[in-house]
């Protein structure tokens, strides 16, 4: 690379002058080209239109869905049916359905599949589930609300009522299955009891025969029977007291764990579905803990659900809002239950003590009997106990039969949906497309402005004036249909302006270098047409193309067999490397030693010989960034044109190239601002051409934005 100590070919430096302007904090406002950002909105019209269309379509769809969504509500009532009476010696267990379980059972996949089948819906089970919301009507309420939302009012009513009836029917089927199991169980138990009674009667008859007992010999039968009954009642009292004591201790522990005051949260919102759900699970958990062991899976599952709901409510709270505490309503409710259970526990304890005293008295009476009388009395007491069990079993069987005939269940239909309600705030929903249009267009404009603000390319002439101390003598718009056949016609006026203004700025010159930061900015095109223009005005001109890349304005067969590098290496003469075309040209081919070749005496000899033959020598230099020997060529000329391709090169690259020229005091004579989007230019002629190409609607939009 060439550094500051690497002297250009002729050892001559240009006038010292700072090319890049320094921007201070005081004039930062003047260094911003706000027109560029405003005009740039036109460049991003497709983005604005797409954003507007997308948001308008989305909000229109949302408006349509909201305006065409109807809600229908069916209501169920949860009333825990009377359970079959059971005894302590029975192994039969009946399912106790809670309100929380009843709510979950409503939306079981089986129920939704039944709704789909009954109504013949062309919807998936998941789609039907998304249309349904099931919750408890309010705190301490047993009403279950089934709300269905659909774009058809009749469909919403049908789904709500069908789901309610299916849920009731399935609940009835569940109850009937339980009652059938209970009846079968008690029927088998009854047969066993009758068999035992027959065996007991035969045992009593045999005992009387063996001991020749008559009616006078069984004077103590009533005493024995009373003792048996008293012992059974004492056993029942002890069992009830133990069970109630366990429940009381469990409830007391739960009461002590619950805080007196709790912070208000999303659970405290009036009508909150989450709050109702928490209350349901809390009650179900208390009921389970009072009846089941602590490690029961049902208790663990309820505890997990409650923890997840508490976490969800905490996430819903605003972390910036101070917490407000209130009395824990659950603790108050548990306190009342604890007091009630304490009273029942004391009553059970008193009954147990009375039964114990009665049994002790009867034992004292029995001790006065003979062993035969005691045994006989025991047998009779066992017979009476079996008869009582048979009667109780018959009562339970009749209760089951009544339940089967009534067909009741835990869930009953309270109110069918008879009307679907249209959404509220329909006027606001109708305005949503307008909101989407404004939001989409505003976002599109804001995005366009942001993209333009952070655009790294140089777009406007004012940016050149703000950034550099070199005058811009021509602004050439982007020409989308520029071809070899029409290029001279389209560029003639701009080339003429460049020549006229360059003569005023640079004065008389023989050698002109056309350079740029990198390839693709239009440097070679302007070198070609400048040479042609000089030919037209009567000056003999030649192009020395040090840019070895193909020039689109020449055919490949127009290139001489030998190139500039051959001359510099002493392998050809000037005439051998010169193509006698319009204009005359000398072409260099790629050679890695070109940097060293341009600093030899052969280079000076060639320039001297060309000056003798031609009036104007135009050097087409390679890009400063592309090839490191470009600096060596620039020093050979008295005038220098620096071409900036607006839409092709970032400002940072331009700054870097001009900074390198500044380091060698090789400031350009003028700048050519090429390939500028016409909407950034204020030239009436350019704007007229641009508007004729873009159409009438773009003309109006351009005029509106520029105003």
């Amino acid at each position: 690379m060439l550094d500051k100590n690497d002297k250009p070919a002729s050892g001559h430096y240009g006038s010292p002058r700072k090319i890049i302007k320094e921007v201070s904090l005081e004039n930062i406002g003047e260094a911003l080209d706000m027109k560029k950002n405003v005009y740039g909105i036109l460049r991003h019209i497709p983005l604005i239109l797409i954003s507007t269309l997308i948001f308008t379509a989305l909000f229109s769809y949302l408006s349509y869905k909201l305006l065409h969504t109807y809600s229908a509500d069916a209501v169920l009532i949860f009333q825990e049916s009377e359970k079959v009476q059971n005894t302590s010696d029975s192994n039969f267990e009946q399912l106790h359905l809670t309100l929380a379980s009843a709510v979950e059972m409503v939306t079981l996949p089986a129920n939704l599949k039944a709704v789909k089948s009954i109504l013949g819906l062309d919807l998936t089970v998941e789609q039907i589930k998304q249309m349904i919301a099931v919750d408890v009507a309010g705190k301490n309420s047993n009403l279950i609300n089934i709300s269905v939302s659909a774009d058809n009012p009749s469909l919403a009513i049908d789904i709500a009522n069908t789901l309610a009836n299916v849920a009731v029917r399935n609940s009835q089927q569940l109850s009937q299955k339980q009652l059938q199991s209970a009846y079968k169980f008690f029927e088998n138990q009854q047969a066993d009891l009758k068999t035992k009674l027959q065996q007991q009667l035969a045992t009593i008859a045999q005992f009387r025969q063996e001991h020749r007992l008559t009616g006078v010999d069984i004077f103590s039968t009533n005493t024995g029977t009373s003792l048996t009954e008293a012992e059974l009642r004492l056993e029942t009292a002890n069992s009830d007291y133990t069970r109630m004591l366990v429940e009381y201790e469990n409830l007391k522990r739960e009461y002590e764990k619950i805080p007196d005051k709790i912070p208000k949260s999303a659970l405290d919102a009036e009508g909150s579905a989450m709050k109702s759900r928490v209350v349901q699970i809390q009650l179900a958990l208390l009921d389970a803990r009072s009846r089941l062991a602590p490690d029961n899976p049902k208790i663990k599952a309820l505890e997990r659900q409650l923890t997840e709901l508490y976490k969800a409510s905490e996430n819903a709270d605003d972390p910036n809002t101070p917490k407000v505490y209130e009395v824990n309503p659950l603790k108050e409710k548990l306190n009342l239950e604890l007091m009630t259970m304490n009273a029942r526990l004391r009553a059970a304890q008193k009954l147990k003590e009375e039964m114990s005293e009665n049994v002790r008295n009867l034992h004292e009476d029995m001790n006065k009997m003979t062993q035969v009388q005691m045994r006989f009395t025991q047998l009779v007491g066992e017979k009476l106990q079996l008869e009582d069990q048979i009667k109780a079993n018959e009562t339970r069987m009749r209760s089951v039969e009544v339940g089967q005939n009534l067909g009741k269940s835990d869930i009953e239909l309270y109110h069918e949906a008879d009307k679907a309600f249209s959404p509220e705030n329909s006027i606001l929903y109708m305005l949503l497309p307008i909101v989407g249009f404004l939001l989409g267009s505003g976002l599109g404009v804001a995005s366009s402005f942001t993209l333009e603000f952070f655009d790294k390319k140089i777009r406007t002439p004012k940016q050149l004036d703000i950034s550099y101390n070199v005058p811009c003598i021509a602004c050439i718009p982007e020409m989308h249909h520029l071809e070899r056949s029409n290029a001279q016609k389209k560029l003639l006026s701009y080339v003429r302006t460049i020549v006229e203004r360059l003569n005023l700025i640079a004065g008389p010159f023989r050698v002109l270098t056309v350079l740029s930061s990198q390839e693709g900015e239009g440097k070679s095109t302007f070198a070609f047409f400048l040479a042609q223009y000089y030919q037209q005005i009567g000056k003999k001109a030649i192009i020395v193309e040090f840019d070895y890349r193909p020039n689109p304005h020449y055919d490949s067969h127009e290139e001489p067999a030998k190139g500039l590098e051959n001359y510099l290496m002493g392998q050809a003469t000037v005439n051998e490397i010169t193509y006698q075309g319009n204009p005359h040209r000398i072409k260099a081919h790629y050679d890695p030693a070109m940097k060293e070749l341009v600093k030899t005496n052969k280079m000076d000899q060639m320039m001297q010989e060309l000056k003798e033959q031609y009036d104007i020598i135009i050097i087409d230099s390679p890009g400063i960034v592309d090839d490191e020997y470009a600096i060596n060529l620039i020093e050979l000329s008295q005038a220098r044109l620096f071409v900036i391709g607006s839409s092709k090169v970032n400002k940072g690259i331009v700054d870097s190239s001009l900074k390198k020229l500044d380091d060698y005091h090789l400031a350009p004579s003028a700048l050519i601002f090429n390939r500028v989007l016409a909407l950034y230019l204020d030239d009436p002629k350019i704007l007229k051409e641009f508007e004729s190409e873009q159409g009438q609607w773009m003309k109006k939009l351009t005029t509106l934005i520029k105003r």
Side-chain angles (χ1 to χ4, degrees):
M1 288 292 293
L2 182 68
D3 55 25
K4 295 181 181 180
N5 297 321
D6 191 358
K7 182 176 178 292
S10 66
H12 167 257
Y13 287 86
S15 58
R17 151 173 87 161
K18 279 288 184 182
I19 301 176
I20 301 175
K21 292 182 179 179
E22 295 182 358
V23 179
S24 61
L25 293 177
E26 289 75 11
N27 60 356
I28 187 70
E30 300 177 359
L32 296 176
D33 186 5
M34 295 307 297
K35 274 190 175 182
K36 167 186 175 293
N37 300 323
V38 176
Y39 291 175
I41 294 175
L42 277 173
R43 191 163 62 93
H44 299 289
I45 280 181
L47 172 63
I48 297 173
L49 292 177
I50 291 173
S51 174
T52 303
L53 290 175
I54 290 176
F55 276 84
T56 302
L58 288 177
F59 277 70
S60 298
Y61 176 76
L62 180 61
S63 173
Y64 176 83
K65 293 297 291 184
L66 292 174
L67 288 172
H68 293 79
T69 299
Y70 299 88
S71 177
D73 297 334
V75 182
L76 304 176
I77 184 169
F78 174 77
Q79 45 186 7
E80 191 173 359
S81 59
E82 183 179 352
K83 303 304 176 184
V84 178
Q85 296 179 357
N86 202 1
T87 58
S88 59
D89 61 341
S90 173
N91 294 323
F92 177 73
E93 289 290 341
Q94 188 175 7
L95 176 65
H96 292 263
L97 188 64
T98 63
L99 178 60
S101 299
V103 171
E104 292 178 358
M105 287 176 61
V106 173
T107 54
L108 288 175
N111 292 350
L112 300 179
K113 288 180 181 178
V115 171
K116 176 182 178 180
S117 176
I118 294 172
L119 298 178
L121 300 178
D122 189 18
L123 298 170
T124 64
V125 172
E126 187 62 30
Q127 288 174 329
I128 297 175
K129 186 175 182 180
Q130 291 176 357
M131 299 166 63
I132 300 169
V134 181
D135 57 10
V136 179
K139 183 180 180 181
N140 300 326
S141 173
N142 285 342
L143 295 179
I144 302 174
N145 186 62
I146 301 176
S147 180
V148 178
S149 299
D151 55 4
N152 186 315
S154 300
L155 179 62
I157 295 173
D158 291 343
I159 293 178
N161 291 335
T162 304
L163 180 60
N165 289 320
V166 168
V168 171
R169 183 190 65 192
N170 289 346
S171 178
Q172 290 174 345
Q173 291 176 353
L174 177 62
S175 298
Q176 288 297 317
K177 288 181 181 179
Q178 291 190 78
L179 292 173
Q180 290 173 5
S181 299
Y183 189 86
K184 185 67 176 177
F185 177 83
F186 292 131
E187 188 177 40
N188 294 334
Q189 192 178 53
Q190 188 77 336
D192 293 340
L193 290 173
K194 287 182 178 181
T195 301
K196 291 180 180 178
L197 179 60
Q198 294 299 324
Q199 294 174 352
Q200 188 69 13
L201 290 174
T203 301
I204 292 173
Q206 183 180 358
F207 187 85
R208 292 181 65 177
Q209 184 179 2
E210 290 176 355
H211 297 87
R212 298 178 181 180
L213 296 176
T214 61
V216 297
D217 296 321
I218 54 174
F219 64 92
S220 60
T221 300
N222 291 336
T223 303
T225 302
S226 299
L227 176 60
T228 302
E229 293 175 351
E231 287 177 340
L232 290 175
R233 287 197 295 271
L234 176 59
E235 182 180 352
T236 302
N238 284 332
S239 177
D240 291 343
Y241 175 75
T242 302
R243 177 179 54 79
M244 292 178 65
L245 180 61
V246 171
E247 292 180 0
Y248 176 78
E249 292 297 331
N250 289 340
L251 188 61
K252 186 176 179 181
R253 282 195 298 271
E254 292 300 319
Y255 175 80
E256 292 172 351
K257 291 179 181 178
I258 297 176
D260 296 333
K261 292 185 178 182
I262 58 175
K264 285 188 176 182
S265 67
L267 295 177
D268 300 312
E270 188 65 27
S272 170
M274 187 181 293
K275 183 175 181 180
S276 301
R277 179 68 176 149
V278 168
V279 171
Q280 295 168 18
I281 295 180
Q282 286 176 338
L283 295 176
L285 184 59
L286 290 174
D287 179 63
R289 285 174 172 169
S290 64
R291 295 185 297 100
L292 305 173
D295 57 349
N296 190 281
K298 182 176 181 180
I299 292 178
K300 299 295 184 183
L302 290 172
E303 287 176 345
R304 283 195 301 271
Q305 294 181 28
L306 192 59
T307 301
E308 291 173 357
L309 284 175
Y310 279 140
K311 288 182 178 179
S313 68
E314 290 174 0
N315 293 335
D317 291 339
D318 187 354
N320 298 321
T321 303
K323 291 188 178 293
V324 179
Y325 290 83
E326 64 176 0
V327 176
N328 192 341
L330 182 60
K331 188 155 189 177
E332 291 182 350
K333 184 174 181 179
L334 289 183
N335 189 28
L336 293 175
E337 293 184 8
L338 198 61
M339 294 171 63
T340 303
M341 187 168 287
N342 189 22
R344 291 171 56 197
L345 184 63
R346 288 198 299 271
Q349 184 179 12
K350 184 177 179 181
L351 179 62
K352 183 188 74 167
E353 292 172 352
E354 291 176 354
M355 291 294 100
S356 297
E357 181 65 23
N358 188 25
V359 168
R360 281 195 298 271
N361 294 334
L362 290 174
H363 270 293
E364 291 177 358
D365 294 340
M366 287 295 294
N367 289 334
K368 300 176 183 179
M369 301 180 190
T370 63
Q371 289 185 355
V372 174
Q373 290 174 330
M374 291 176 62
R375 176 57 182 160
F376 184 76
T377 301
Q378 182 180 1
L379 291 174
V380 172
E382 291 174 355
K383 184 203 73 164
L384 295 175
Q385 182 179 358
L386 288 172
E387 290 175 345
D388 290 339
Q389 290 179 2
I390 290 173
K391 291 178 181 179
N393 220 41
E394 288 176 350
T395 301
R396 289 192 287 271
M397 291 176 68
R398 285 194 296 271
S399 176
V400 171
E401 289 176 346
V402 171
Q404 288 178 321
N405 294 331
L406 291 177
K408 287 188 175 182
S409 66
D410 294 305
I411 302 176
E412 297 293 339
L413 183 61
Y414 182 76
H415 173 69
E416 281 192 339
D418 54 3
K419 183 179 179 182
F421 299 94
S422 59
E424 300 178 357
N425 303 322
S426 57
I427 297 179
L428 295 178
Y429 296 155
M430 292 174 65
L431 296 175
L432 282 177
I434 300 176
V435 174
F437 175 83
L438 296 176
L439 182 61
S441 57
L443 184 61
V445 171
S447 301
S448 301
F449 190 86
T450 303
L451 290 173
E452 197 68 22
F453 186 80
F454 290 101
D455 185 15
K456 295 181 179 181
K457 291 183 170 58
I458 303 174
R459 299 290 184 181
T460 66
K462 184 178 179 181
Q463 284 182 277
L464 298 178
D465 184 58
I466 291 171
S467 303
Y468 310 119
N469 284 313
V470 181
C472 177
I473 60 174
C475 294
I476 297 90
E478 180 75 70
M479 299 180 185
H480 298 288
H481 305 291
L482 186 67
E483 299 174 355
R484 184 174 177 180
S485 59
N486 62 9
Q488 184 176 14
K489 179 180 178 181
K490 287 191 173 186
L491 292 176
L492 178 60
S493 62
Y494 299 107
V495 173
R496 183 188 300 117
T497 301
I498 292 171
V499 171
E500 292 173 353
R501 294 179 179 177
L502 182 61
N503 290 334
L504 294 175
I505 294 173
F509 60 86
R510 296 287 304 282
V511 182
L512 169 65
T513 300
V514 184
L515 64 150
S516 64
S517 298
Q518 60 186 27
E519 63 171 320
E521 297 188 65
K523 163 185 57 61
S524 297
T525 297
F526 281 104
F528 174 81
F529 286 108
L530 281 170
Q532 273 198 347
Y533 182 76
Y534 279 116
Q535 292 274 94
Q536 292 174 5
I537 63 176
K539 291 189 177 183
K540 192 174 182 181
I542 186 171
I543 297 179
V544 181
E545 291 187 82
F546 278 92
D547 190 348
Y548 49 84
R549 297 167 184 82
N551 190 322
H553 301 285
Y554 291 107
D555 291 327
S556 58
H557 67 271
E558 295 179 355
E559 295 186 4
K562 294 184 178 182
L564 178 58
E565 69 282 358
N566 298 113
Y567 173 82
L568 295 177
M569 289 186 290
Q571 299 172 356
T573 64
V574 171
N575 291 332
E576 288 177 336
I577 65 173
T578 302
Y579 173 74
Q580 306 293 324
N582 182 25
H584 292 187
R585 61 190 286 249
I586 296 175
K587 178 69 175 178
H589 302 100
Y590 176 75
D591 193 306
M594 186 62 74
K595 177 178 174 62
E596 288 71 27
L597 291 175
V598 298
K599 294 190 290 184
T600 62
N601 292 330
K602 291 290 289 183
M603 185 68 189
D604 293 335
Q605 292 175 12
M606 184 190 75
M607 293 300 295
Q608 185 61 37
E609 190 172 345
L610 291 177
K611 287 178 182 179
E612 294 174 357
Q613 298 181 36
Y614 297 94
D615 299 321
I616 296 293
I617 302 170
I618 298 177
I619 298 176
D620 181 10
S621 169
I624 296 175
V625 174
D626 298 330
D627 294 283
E628 57 186 9
Y629 61 88
I631 297 292
N632 302 93
L633 299 175
I634 297 170
E635 194 274 338
L636 298 174
S637 58
Q638 295 87 35
R640 310 174 190 96
L641 285 178
F642 191 89
V643 180
I644 298 176
S646 172
S647 58
K648 292 296 180 180
V649 63
N650 289 342
K651 185 176 183 298
I653 296 177
V654 176
D655 289 349
S656 176
S657 300
L658 292 176
K659 177 66 168 57
K660 184 177 291 187
L661 293 177
D662 208 0
D663 290 340
Y664 288 91
H665 307 299
L666 298 173
S669 305
L671 302 178
I672 297 178
F673 198 27
N674 189 34
R675 308 193 70 170
V676 187
L677 295 178
L679 57 91
Y680 291 107
L681 298 174
D682 294 326
D683 190 323
K685 177 183 177 182
I686 296 175
L687 289 177
K688 185 177 180 180
E689 294 177 358
F690 171 70
E691 290 161 0
S692 64
E693 290 182 1
Q694 298 299 321
Q696 197 66 22
W697 68 273
M698 182 61 78
K699 175 181 178 181
K700 294 180 179 179
L701 185 59
T702 304
T703 304
L704 178 63
I705 291 180
K706 286 185 175 292
R707 286 179 180 175

